[in-house]
Each structure stands twice: as C-alpha cells, then as structure tokens.
Amino acid sequence: MKTPREILLQRHRAAAPQLDAIREAVVRELNPPAATPAPVPVHLVSWFRDGASTLWRELFWSCRRTWAGLAAVWLGLLVFNALQTGPAAPVLAQAAPAADVRLAFLEQQKLLAELAGPRLPVPVAEPPRRQEKPRSENQPVFMTV
C-alpha cells in the first residue's frame, strides 16, 4: 500500500522540470550576469573597519540597556565618592610600647599553660619491621584437596 506522500510525489513528478525552468528564468531576470560586481580585494583597513563595526553591533549595541545601566551605576559611584567628606590625611594609630606588648604576651602564655594542664609525653613510634622477603617474592599458596 502506498502512503499519501508517495501518491502526491508520483502525481507531481512530471511538473518538477517545468518548475525548475521557471525558477532559473526568474533568477536570471533578477540577477543578470552583467550586473554582478567584480570581486573587490580586501584591504587591511577595511577588514579592521568591518571588524570594529561588527564588534560594536554584536557586543555593545545588542546589550545597550545593560551597558547604559552599568554606566549609570558607575556615574553614581563617582558622584557619591566625590561628595564624601572626610579627613584629608589619614590618622596613624599610635604604636603601643614593645615592653607592654611583650608582658601581655607572656601573661597569655602563662594563663594558657595553667588552663591546658601538664603536657603528656608523646609516645615514640617503633620502626617498621623488616620482612624476610620482599613483597614481590611472596607467592600465595593454594592448597587443593
């Protein structure tokens, strides 16, 4: 049994060459051979110009609302930074005397030693035992009964 597609294709198979001829005539009218421009050599300057315009269109112009929003945020930050008033020169912190710092550190060490209690001795690990044969020479023993 034939499918409807096969039936339609069989019916219109004879019209395909006529349709191709009509299509060629229309294309020939729209684009005569004398009207085709000669190939233009690509110059480096035009290549950069076209690349720059393509970059502008695809990277910046397509997201113009996003870029405008970012520019507005940056302008707002610049205005906010310019309006901030504060001391002109930073104030340096006064250094604590070294003797006071050393005494405070020693007191902290003593307090930590009292809280932690006595130190326990660290057990010394014994060295690993040497086998009589290297591992590669140890063969598994299979016993069959």
Side-chain angles (χ1 to χ4, degrees):
M1 177 149 186
K2 291 185 177 181
T3 63
R5 183 173 188 263
E6 291 173 350
I7 294 170
L8 283 173
L9 286 175
Q10 186 178 11
R11 242 187 238 169
H12 298 290
R13 196 167 304 205
Q18 295 170 352
L19 291 173
D20 289 339
I22 293 171
R23 188 177 306 113
E24 286 178 18
V26 169
V27 170
R28 200 176 313 115
E29 277 181 28
L30 293 175
N31 192 15
T36 57
V40 177
V42 177
H43 297 290
L44 188 61
V45 174
S46 65
W47 185 74
F48 277 119
R49 186 187 63 228
D50 294 341
S53 67
T54 302
L55 180 71
W56 173 259
R57 273 194 318 268
E58 292 183 6
L59 185 62
F60 295 107
W61 190 249
S62 64
C63 308
R64 58 186 177 266
R65 289 187 184 111
T66 305
W67 289 111
L70 284 173
V73 168
W74 276 104
L75 284 173
L77 288 172
L78 288 173
V79 168
F80 179 75
N81 192 19
L83 294 177
Q84 289 295 317
T85 57
V91 178
L92 297 176
Q94 296 194 2
D100 292 343
V101 173
R102 188 178 306 129
L103 286 175
F105 181 70
L106 289 174
E107 287 179 19
Q108 285 182 353
Q109 291 291 336
K110 287 179 186 176
L111 183 61
L112 183 63
E114 289 176 12
L115 291 174
R119 290 188 171 202
L120 299 175
V122 178
V124 178
E126 63 183 51
R129 296 184 197 146
R130 179 97 175 136
Q131 295 180 346
E132 60 272 354
K133 291 193 270 182
R135 286 188 190 174
S136 61
E137 293 180 8
N138 286 340
Q139 298 292 328
V141 178
F142 294 106
M143 300 186 79
T144 57
V145 179

